[in-house]
Amino acid sequence: WPRLDAASRSELARQVRGVLELPELAAAFAPGSRSEQPIVGRVDDIVIAGQIDRFAVTDDAVYLVDFKSNRLPPPHPEAVPAAYLRQLAAYAALLRSLYPGREIRAGLVWTAVPVLMPIPATVLAAYAPGRSVVA
């Protein structure tokens, strides 16, 4: 922060407040949620390792949120860069095996706006580990 000029600090603060105030992210910031959650495991023969930006588990759902800064959101989930979708799909596949019976609710937060873009299960399935996606 000290090296940022006043305008940059103000813009960063605006983005942070905007993200924290998104009502659809309440579960991801609720007590018991986690930030920068390491994750590692296998889905079939594929090893998955990474870090989830925000993660929360409730009785019926698992929330998986990844933040994207300095980018404006694409017009719809199918237009999200394939690398982002593969990452979310890999985490979702691993979480599905760890929390059977719970819905996986994955989304990208575009901090520059800010807005949460839920990524539908059908999109995640297309990018699941082991799937060959042309993108």
Side-chain angles (χ1 to χ4, degrees):
W1 288 80
R3 294 184 183 167
L4 294 178
D5 59 55
S8 296
R9 283 194 307 270
S10 178
E11 174 58 17
L12 184 58
R14 181 198 66 77
Q15 289 182 21
V16 169
R17 277 192 310 275
V19 167
L20 292 174
E21 293 170 357
L22 287 172
E24 57 270 39
L25 282 179
F29 287 104
S33 65
R34 297 179 182 169
S35 64
E36 305 297 323
Q37 178 63 50
I39 186 169
V40 66
R42 286 178 165 253
V43 173
D44 299 323
D45 290 334
I46 300 169
V47 174
I48 297 168
Q51 188 166 291
I52 300 171
D53 290 344
R54 290 300 304 181
F55 170 75
V57 179
T58 65
D59 290 339
D60 60 344
V62 177
Y63 295 86
L64 160 63
V65 179
D66 194 36
F67 296 102
K68 299 301 175 196
S69 59
N70 299 325
R71 297 236 13 201
L72 293 176
H76 50 79
E78 293 79 8
V80 169
Y84 297 168
L85 295 174
R86 278 194 287 277
Q87 176 188 21
L88 277 182
Y91 294 169
L94 186 53
L95 290 170
R96 196 172 294 106
S97 70
L98 295 171
Y99 298 95
R102 290 186 174 113
E103 178 185 3
I104 305 298
R105 296 182 186 166
L108 295 169
V109 174
W110 305 93
T111 61
V113 178
V115 66
L116 169 67
M117 177 185 280
I119 305 299
T122 54
V123 174
L124 292 176
Y127 287 86
R131 296 283 312 253
S132 176
V133 178
V134 177

